[in-house]
Amino acid sequence: MSVAYTFEDHRLAKPDGFQVEIDETHERADIILNRPPYNIVSMPQRDQLRLVFETLDEDARVRIIVVRSVGEHFSSGGNIGGFMEASPETVSKLGAGVSVVVEKGAGESAGFTDSDYTSAGATIASAIMWPRIFLIVGAVDPELAQRLIIPLAASTIVAIAGALWLANRGRKEEKTLAEGGEKMKATNPLDLGTALRFGLILTAIMVAARAASAWAGASGLLLVAGISGLVDVDAISLSVATMSIHRLAAPSVAVGAILLAAVVNTLLKPAMALVIGGAPMGLRFLASSLAMIAACGAGWLLAMHLA
């Protein structure tokens, strides 16, 4: 029979979004994510989970650690907002000392068995970037948007297909689910702080892009685009489209800069997923991301051939 696990460490006095139970008869401990509907993992929760794994690993009563969840979904992964606000030192230590042992018992899927679902969600979220680029560029320079439509459409189609395939795989997993729990409050992405941050990023990228283009020509603009892809694709897309409409960048260079930023950003996301969500989710998302990039490259070559 499972009972609540008692921790001596004061840092685990109030678990953030989870609970821990122990069944000494079966030498099993359960870590139960409890923040429905999506059981998002916060940064403080990650720190606490690390301590939990370390404690259970040293407990002679525990031979099996099962990670499961409350609610309809296992977990959508980490809170990206908290991850972005964390210091590099904190991020580098996220996976330190954590070793997960998964048991799959009769009628129950334990551990990170919803990796297909979370990967599908991450892929479909990433897919939105490609048509968004088209809309942003099209609003400023419709002619440039037409040059981008084939690679952007190809990437979007491949991303949606990959997300559907992953979701279908995830549906085949049998799950034992519980009800109840506390919902996590979502922040407003359109608040003033977010708008001001985007404005600052956009201004910095526009200045850098024009300066690099004037100083080093096409290679300078491509360099800025690649670096900007690590931060924000929308800002560099808008900046390059503005330069294109004013004939400050050749159309072919503008297309290359925007696609380069999109490719860099697409590679960054699965890298973050590997850190936040672990290998099962991260590697699946990496595969779908590489497929998007391949489709983008093929579409770009086709567009050049048809031009």
Side-chain angles (χ1 to χ4, degrees):
M1 178 179 178
S2 297
V3 297
Y5 193 98
T6 302
F7 294 95
E8 296 181 0
D9 193 326
H10 71 278
R11 292 171 293 181
L12 296 173
K14 294 182 179 180
D16 179 22
F18 70 97
Q19 61 211 50
V20 183
E21 297 178 353
I22 184 172
D23 183 348
E24 292 190 44
T25 303
H26 296 92
E27 300 177 297
R28 162 177 166 165
D30 285 43
I31 299 174
I32 307 166
L33 304 182
N34 191 0
R35 209 193 313 263
Y38 302 113
N39 294 306
I40 298 172
V41 179
S42 67
M43 291 297 290
Q45 183 179 355
R46 289 193 66 97
D47 293 334
Q48 287 189 327
L49 287 172
R50 176 178 59 82
L51 295 173
V52 168
F53 279 115
E54 291 175 353
T55 301
L56 295 178
D57 185 51
E58 296 174 358
D59 193 328
R61 299 172 298 168
V62 178
R63 295 188 63 192
I64 298 171
I65 301 174
V66 177
V67 182
R68 53 190 177 92
S69 67
V70 168
E72 183 181 357
H73 308 287
F74 175 70
S75 174
S76 64
N79 180 2
I80 300 297
F83 175 81
M84 295 301 291
E85 293 169 3
S87 67
E89 181 181 5
T90 299
V91 172
S92 69
K93 295 180 179 178
L94 287 178
V98 178
S99 177
V100 182
V101 181
V102 176
E103 174 200 53
K104 188 170 182 179
E108 180 179 276
S109 291
F112 295 96
T113 54
D114 277 334
S115 297
D116 289 320
Y117 276 125
T118 52
S119 302
T123 300
I124 202 67
S126 185
I128 295 173
M129 176 190 70
W130 305 98
R132 192 176 68 235
I133 291 173
F134 177 79
L135 293 175
I136 291 172
V137 175
V140 178
D141 189 347
E143 184 179 343
L144 181 61
Q146 290 297 318
R147 292 173 177 266
L148 287 164
I149 192 168
I150 295 178
L152 295 180
S155 298
T156 303
I157 293 170
V158 168
I160 293 173
L164 291 174
W165 181 74
L166 286 167
N168 184 61
R169 273 173 51 100
R171 247 187 246 107
K172 295 177 182 178
E173 296 285 348
E174 295 180 359
K175 305 174 182 68
T176 299
L177 301 172
E179 296 297 332
E182 179 185 356
K183 290 188 176 181
M184 187 174 189
K185 293 182 180 180
T187 58
N188 179 10
L190 300 179
D191 63 8
L192 180 60
T194 301
L196 289 174
R197 283 194 295 272
F198 179 80
L200 290 173
I201 293 172
L202 176 60
T203 301
I205 289 177
M206 289 185 74
V207 172
R210 294 200 180 195
S213 180
W215 174 63
S219 58
L221 179 58
L222 292 173
L223 176 62
V224 171
I227 296 173
S228 300
L230 296 172
V231 181
D232 188 275
V233 176
D234 295 347
I236 188 64
S237 299
L238 184 57
S239 299
V240 173
T242 302
M243 292 178 66
S244 175
I245 196 69
H246 289 98
R247 300 296 184 265
L248 297 175
S252 60
V253 175
V255 168
I258 292 172
L259 294 182
L260 177 60
V263 166
V264 170
N265 190 264
T266 302
L267 285 173
L268 175 65
K269 292 170 184 173
M272 294 171 61
L274 281 167
V275 174
I276 298 173
M281 183 264 185
L283 291 176
R284 287 169 172 79
F285 186 27
L286 175 61
S288 63
S289 297
L290 291 176
M292 282 186 260
I293 292 172
C296 178
W300 177 61
L301 292 174
L302 177 60
M304 291 181 62
H305 177 73
L306 295 175

